[in-house]
């Protein structure tokens, strides 16, 4: 029975995804709980403790929200943003100018070192 369930969702491997069911904010804890095979409330309590004692829980949750894809989507928010930025001509131009500037500096430094 469990084999059939895992075969329907993912034939060869289980994947970390933000779930649509059990969602409270962005479904990070429910997705991680499903992946780890634990109760989502345990993860929520852990994040709350990290938040109260140092504030790291909010950062961890925000990073997970951006990096973990939602169930039914092939990519995460971060992947979508990077892809969109890479397709933008302004970003492509800025990246090329940065590469050119770095190469000029490297060439200048290598010439300076070869003359000494």
């Amino acid at each position: 029975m469990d084999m059939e369930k895992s075969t329907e969702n993912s034939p060869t491997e289980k994947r970390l995804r933000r779930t649509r069911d059990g969602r409270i904010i962005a479904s990070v804890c429910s997705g991680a709980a499903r992946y780890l095979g634990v109760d989502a409330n345990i993860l929520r309590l852990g994040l709350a403790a990290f938040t109260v004692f140092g504030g790291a829980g909010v950062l961890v949750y925000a990073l997970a929200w951006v990096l973990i894809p939602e169930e039914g989507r092939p990519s995460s928010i971060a992947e979508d943003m990077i892809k969109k930025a890479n397709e933008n001509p302004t970003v492509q131009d800025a990246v090329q100018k940065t590469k050119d500037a770095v190469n000029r500096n490297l060439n200048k430094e290598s010439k300076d070192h070869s003359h000494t």
Side-chain angles (χ1 to χ4, degrees), residues 48-82:
F50 279 120
T51 299
V52 170
F53 300 109
V58 174
L59 179 63
V60 169
Y61 195 90
L63 285 173
W65 185 8
V66 171
L67 296 174
I68 299 172
E70 186 174 14
E71 191 173 57
R73 293 187 48 102
S75 58
S76 68
I77 295 169
E79 290 171 311
D80 292 343
M81 289 171 52
I82 290 168

Side-chain angles (χ1 to χ4, degrees), residues 2-107:
D2 288 335
M3 295 284 278
E4 292 174 13
K5 263 189 177 179
S6 63
T7 305
E8 289 175 0
N9 293 335
S10 176
T12 58
E13 62 187 75
K14 65 180 183 177
R15 295 179 180 234
L16 179 58
R17 298 279 192 235
R18 293 183 293 119
T19 60
R20 292 192 175 134
D21 58 325
R23 168 181 289 202
I24 290 184
I25 298 176
S27 69
V28 169
C29 291
S30 61
R34 180 186 291 172
Y35 181 77
L36 297 171
V38 298
D39 187 348
N41 290 323
I42 294 171
L43 296 179
R44 290 179 182 119
L45 286 172
L47 278 174
F50 279 120
T51 299
V52 170
F53 300 109
V58 174
L59 179 63
V60 169
Y61 195 90
L63 285 173
W65 185 8
V66 171
L67 296 174
I68 299 172
E70 186 174 14
E71 191 173 57
R73 293 187 48 102
S75 58
S76 68
I77 295 169
E79 290 171 311
D80 292 343
M81 289 171 52
I82 290 168
K83 182 179 177 186
K84 189 174 183 178
N86 285 338
E87 293 171 353
N88 185 331
T90 305
V91 172
Q92 291 175 354
D93 185 47
V95 168
Q96 188 59 48
K97 285 180 181 178
T98 303
K99 285 180 182 178
D100 292 344
V102 167
N103 287 334
R104 277 193 304 269
N105 287 337
L106 289 174
N107 289 336

